[in-house]
Amino acid sequence: MRDGFSLRVPAWSIWALPAWQALPTQKTCNSYNIPVIVTSTNLVFGLPHFQTDFDVADFVDTITSRNVTTASSVIAPGVQVKSTVLIATHGLGFEKTYWDPQLNKTMYSFTDWAIGQGYSIFSYDRLGVGASSRVSGYVAQLSNQVAILAELTKLVKAGQFVGGTGKPPAVVLLGHSFGSIISITALANDLSIADGIVLTGALQLEQYVFERAGIRRGGAIRIASIQSPAKWRQLDTGYLTNADVLTNVATFFKAPDYDPAVAQFAENTKTPLTVTELLAASGITDPPAAFTGPTIIMSGQFDFIFCMSDCDDLLENPGEGVFSHAKSFKAVSFPGAGHGLSLHLNAAESFKNTTDFLASNGF
Ligand SMILES: *[C@@H]1O[C@H](CO)[C@@H](O)[C@H](O)[C@H]1NC(C)=O
Ligand SMILES: *[C@@H]1O[C@H](CO)[C@@H](O)[C@H](O)[C@H]1NC(C)=O
Ligand SMILES: *[C@@H]1O[C@H](CO)[C@@H](O)[C@H](O)[C@H]1NC(C)=O
């Protein structure tokens, strides 16, 4: 890997559901689990599975009929089994489990939702986080993490880490917060890296972006190894973390649309950020104006970090200008949520909005 960092991407990072899940009316197809579905050009058998040889005889009669219309209905033509891989980059304070937390999965797991819709998701711990390489807290930052995402994306596009099923037909970058900034920067550097992009917990307007100030003040950041030697003794002082559960709430949650137990969970499972990430984190300063792929930006209506607690009317207009070449563009100020939008009570609706957008664009 560039810069000599080694990122560990556990095999569990990639999940997929049976391809047939995309056709809920078909009760006869065999279910199977594979790491990634890459079957976008497959035709899907449009009839119940055979029970007896009499069924087979009738099937043969049908497909050899001169009545072509009837015969062609045996196959559901043009049914595409979704096999898009979403490459998910988490934000500051979280690990890759942001996309699949150990909470009620129906309510909080974007991963479970996306898989249920037939997508595959590739999530990874960023540099310095979770199972990935620890580097100095004065080193991990935007530039090296952009390079890492670009490299991972190339590998996935080339069919690696996708369970030996070959190249996925489409790749969509998915980010939360700093992960959105990493994703869009990687895209700006190379427009061919992805076919679409989903930015959550982000904004394009620099003047409202409090990622730095917001986390510093709202989070009342402290040196991680001093706050919890048991957990973080090995981290140098460049690793910082918010002060307590209430500053976690001030940064990521908005009442009344969250469960305090979930905020406590976020606090208990939080991961330190680095000072150089904080310095490099800003708005979308160099947007990929020429990108033609579908683009959605969705932030909690009450996102403090990016919108100073009011994303209404901030996402659409600059967004449409910034992404004017996007095949389709959608901006969502997601009702009720704060910055950590997938940890709110209505998170599942935001998951649906995201995959609805992707599906409407053929992914
Ligand atoms: C031929 O196909 C048409 C259109 O699907 C259908 O209405 C008709 O009943 C079929 N005829 C036979 C003999 O299968
Ligand atoms: C998880 O949340 C769903 C939707 O609110 C609910 O129906 C289900 O009972 C919950 N499961 C558990 C184990 O609490
Ligand atoms: C999100 O999806 C819900 C249905 O699940 C829909 O009612 C709502 O209008 C959508 N919101 C946006 C902003 O797309």
Side-chain angles (χ1 to χ4, degrees):
M1 191 126 319
R2 207 188 303 184
D3 293 340
F5 298 126
S6 84
L7 259 255
R8 210 178 98 198
V9 184
W12 306 116
S13 301
I14 306 167
W15 285 299
L17 256 207
W20 309 113
Q21 197 75 19
L23 282 179
T25 55
Q26 301 302 308
K27 59 182 177 185
T28 54
C29 296
N30 293 328
S31 280
Y32 57 95
N33 278 280
I34 54 172
V36 165
I37 306 159
V38 187
T39 50
S40 68
T41 57
N42 283 8
L43 294 169
V44 177
F45 190 58
L47 293 175
H49 276 191
F50 306 126
Q51 301 293 318
T52 68
D53 283 334
F54 292 96
D55 297 337
V56 177
D58 193 55
F59 171 70
V60 170
D61 183 62
T62 303
I63 61 168
T64 55
S65 166
R66 69 181 174 85
N67 196 337
V68 177
T69 311
T70 302
S72 67
S73 72
V74 172
I75 298 294
V79 174
Q80 287 211 334
V81 177
K82 286 175 198 152
S83 53
T84 301
V85 178
L86 310 176
I87 301 187
T89 304
H90 64 83
L92 301 178
F94 295 96
E95 303 184 359
K96 69 178 171 61
T97 50
Y98 174 79
W99 308 107
D100 187 30
Q102 287 304 314
L103 294 166
N104 184 318
K105 301 281 183 180
T106 309
M107 294 178 71
Y108 300 109
S109 175
F110 178 82
T111 297
D112 271 22
W113 170 261
I115 288 170
Q117 301 302 303
Y119 296 94
S120 300
I121 183 162
F122 176 98
S123 59
Y124 66 101
D125 288 332
R126 287 189 294 96
L127 186 65
V129 171
S132 292
S133 299
R134 294 289 189 191
V135 296
S136 168
Y138 299 94
V139 169
Q141 58 193 272
L142 184 63
S143 58
N144 44 37
Q145 305 202 43
V146 166
I148 287 165
L149 172 60
E151 187 67 22
L152 291 174
T153 305
K154 278 179 202 154
L155 292 170
V156 169
K157 279 177 74 113
Q160 297 191 46
F161 300 109
V162 291
T165 49
K167 295 181 185 178
V171 165
V172 170
L173 299 182
L174 164 67
H176 173 241
S177 191
F178 187 53
S180 288
I181 305 301
I182 292 170
S183 300
I184 196 123
T185 307
L187 187 65
N189 289 348
D190 179 359
L191 295 181
S192 72
I193 200 174
D195 304 293
I197 187 162
V198 177
L199 303 163
T200 71
L203 177 71
Q204 315 84 307
L205 282 179
E206 188 68 29
Q207 68 264 37
Y208 294 103
V209 174
F210 265 34
E211 178 118 24
R212 275 175 274 185
I215 288 183
R216 194 162 59 216
R217 293 204 188 157
I221 55 171
R222 308 280 190 262
I223 291 171
S225 60
I226 294 176
Q227 183 181 105
S228 179
K231 277 199 267 188
W232 297 317
R233 180 180 292 107
Q234 75 282 13
L235 301 181
D236 69 26
T237 56
Y239 281 89
L240 308 169
T241 191
N242 62 287
D244 56 22
V245 67
L246 291 173
T247 54
N248 197 316
V249 166
T251 308
F252 292 111
F253 294 87
K254 178 61 183 173
D257 277 359
Y258 74 96
D259 176 352
V262 169
Q264 189 62 56
F265 168 86
E267 176 66 8
N268 295 346
T269 57
K270 70 182 178 181
T271 192
L273 52 94
T274 76
V275 64
T276 32
E277 288 171 332
L278 218 46
L279 290 172
S282 65
I284 298 166
T285 51
D286 186 19
F291 184 58
T292 55
T295 300
I296 179 170
I297 182 164
M298 180 188 300
S299 296
Q301 185 179 20
F302 296 101
D303 189 311
F304 167 61
I305 302 296
F306 276 86
C307 303
M308 293 174 69
S309 300
D310 184 0
C311 282
D312 287 356
D313 301 325
L314 287 189
L315 296 160
E316 295 88 346
N317 298 324
E320 278 166 11
V322 168
F323 299 106
S324 58
H325 291 94
K327 175 186 161 198
S328 68
F329 173 78
K330 187 170 184 184
V332 180
S333 176
F334 189 70
H339 184 56
L341 72 172
S342 79
L343 293 177
H344 286 71
L345 292 171
N346 57 349
E349 195 175 302
S350 75
F351 304 158
K352 182 177 189 310
N353 290 130
T354 301
T355 55
D356 281 354
F357 175 78
L358 293 176
S360 72
N361 281 285
F363 291 129

